[in-house]
Amino acid sequence: MVNFFYHFVGGIFIFLNYFRHNTFGYRTPRTFSSNDIDRAIDYDFKVVHGWLKSLSKYTQGSVRDKVIFELGPGPDLGIGLILLAMGAKKYIAMDVHPLLEQTSPIFYSRLLDTIKIEFPESDINSLQQELSKCLSDKDARLQYVVDPTFSLLNIQENVDIVFSQAAFEHFDDVPRVISELDKILNKGGYLIAEIDLKTHTGWIRDRDPLNIYRYSDWYWNLLKFKGSPNRRRSCEYVDMIKKNGWQDVKITPLKTLDIEYVKNVKARLSKKFRNLDSEELSFLSVILMAHR
């Protein structure tokens, strides 16, 4: 009975999300408002520290003097400013949606104040100049690219490290993204990507984390929109990136489900997910790491 309830309610949420995004566009990349400045600043720092922790464990490397490319940066350039303050040579971000307009100048002012505290040696005036040039569409060490086709081949220079935070699960054509990364990433370059595999819709996300995997491809594809989860699982990402010749591919689970919940819902999932290993289905979020 519980499975039937979540299947029914989740199906309604899928329809409502389809209606909302097709009516108002994609404007909520995070679970909180861009107006919540303290939370947004804290989020950006946590993302950077999470990436660097994974990068250090994987390569013992750093971002100093590196060209960084972020896939799907969201509504602000805070992460880019933090990385530049940490010594990155350049930061380039690409998104499908022009989301920067959501963020007020107050955010950047307070972020720069925080950067000055966290990195006393950083040149705040230089960071302000790079931000101003970027927002004015001028050439800068901080670069923001909006491309509805999300063609990575439009990036004009090679990069050293690719970072991504909860973006891969929104890509319609993951194999194309991986293939195009091959062409812009320097030999020996790294990919560090956190991927969110759970249901995204607020109310049902915590109650039924695997809800999006209950539905057939027919129903899901009928109501999907630009930015809806692609429902790829971690084993698929590993297979795709290995097929493109990447080396030392690793998946590290960050959050996992109680295995009893997985066993209880597994029989009610769509057939192609029902046949996956229970441990694979238990992964809620993972870090994907690989190098060229």
Side-chain angles (χ1 to χ4, degrees):
M1 191 67 180
V2 171
N3 274 305
F4 174 80
F5 172 77
Y6 283 130
H7 192 111
F8 176 75
V9 171
I12 293 175
F13 275 122
I14 291 169
F15 173 79
L16 292 176
N17 275 337
Y18 171 81
F19 175 79
R20 176 166 63 94
H21 284 285
N22 278 281
T23 303
F24 303 107
Y26 186 79
R27 301 188 60 81
T28 54
R30 297 175 183 170
T31 57
F32 57 91
S33 170
S34 299
N35 295 323
D36 191 343
I37 293 176
D38 289 336
R39 189 171 179 184
I41 291 173
D42 184 58
Y43 174 87
D44 285 347
F45 271 97
K46 283 183 176 179
V47 167
V48 171
H49 289 316
W51 287 344
L52 297 186
K53 182 179 179 180
S54 295
L55 181 67
S56 177
K57 285 183 177 180
Y58 185 64
T59 72
Q60 297 185 340
S62 74
V63 298
R64 182 164 294 278
D65 298 323
K66 299 294 192 298
V67 177
I68 310 296
F69 182 37
E70 182 180 359
L71 304 173
D76 66 67
L77 294 169
I79 285 173
L81 289 167
I82 294 168
L83 289 170
L84 290 183
M86 298 181 76
K89 180 180 179 180
K90 187 171 185 176
Y91 168 86
I92 306 167
M94 174 177 277
D95 215 329
V96 172
H97 307 281
L99 300 174
L100 288 192
E101 61 191 34
Q102 297 182 23
T103 302
S104 74
I106 298 174
F107 165 83
Y108 292 110
S109 176
R110 288 178 48 186
L111 172 68
L112 291 169
D113 288 341
T114 306
I115 288 175
K116 184 61 178 176
I117 295 171
E118 293 290 326
F119 310 109
E121 302 303 317
S122 59
D123 187 340
I124 298 300
N125 289 333
S126 175
L127 293 177
Q128 288 176 323
Q129 290 172 11
E130 296 300 330
L131 176 63
S132 296
K133 286 190 288 186
C134 177
L135 295 177
S136 301
D137 293 323
K138 297 178 181 178
D139 186 44
R141 292 171 57 220
L142 193 69
Q143 185 176 343
Y144 178 74
V145 180
V146 176
D147 182 357
T149 69
F150 206 72
S151 175
L152 277 54
L153 301 182
N154 289 329
I155 301 301
Q156 300 300 309
E157 60 188 288
N158 287 353
V159 303
D160 301 304
I161 304 173
V162 177
F163 285 132
S164 179
Q165 180 72 19
F168 262 89
E169 69 270 18
H170 296 291
F171 298 154
D172 292 331
D173 192 346
V174 179
R176 177 177 68 84
V177 171
I178 294 173
S179 176
E180 291 181 354
L181 279 177
D182 290 348
K183 297 176 175 62
I184 66 169
L185 187 64
N186 285 323
K187 184 67 176 176
Y190 295 95
L191 168 66
I192 306 290
E194 181 169 336
I195 305 172
D196 187 354
L197 302 170
K198 66 180 179 293
T199 296
H200 283 30
T201 307
W203 181 87
I204 206 167
R205 177 175 56 231
D206 296 327
R207 295 170 174 82
D208 189 31
L210 294 180
N211 184 268
I212 60 173
Y213 304 102
R214 291 180 179 271
Y215 308 96
S216 67
D217 283 344
W218 177 86
Y219 185 75
W220 185 261
N221 292 333
L222 180 68
L223 297 175
K224 75 177 182 179
F225 50 87
K226 197 73 173 176
S228 60
N230 57 38
R231 304 202 300 174
R232 298 275 195 175
R233 295 298 302 179
S234 64
C235 57
E236 296 179 80
Y237 288 105
V238 170
D239 288 344
M240 286 184 285
I241 204 161
K242 283 184 175 179
K243 286 178 181 177
N244 274 267
W246 292 65
Q247 304 297 313
D248 197 20
V249 182
K250 293 183 179 179
I251 281 278
T252 302
L254 297 176
K255 296 180 182 178
T256 59
L257 287 166
D258 183 272
I259 204 68
E260 289 302 314
Y261 162 78
V262 176
K263 291 178 179 178
N264 288 336
V265 304
K266 192 174 182 181
R268 299 292 181 172
L269 302 182
S270 179
K271 185 177 180 180
K272 72 176 186 179
F273 302 113
R274 194 187 312 155
N275 294 330
L276 293 176
D277 181 81
S278 293
E279 183 182 30
E280 163 65 36
L281 286 169
S282 74
F283 297 165
L284 278 181
S285 63
V286 298
I287 282 281
L288 170 66
M289 297 172 286
H291 71 86
R292 290 296 298 159

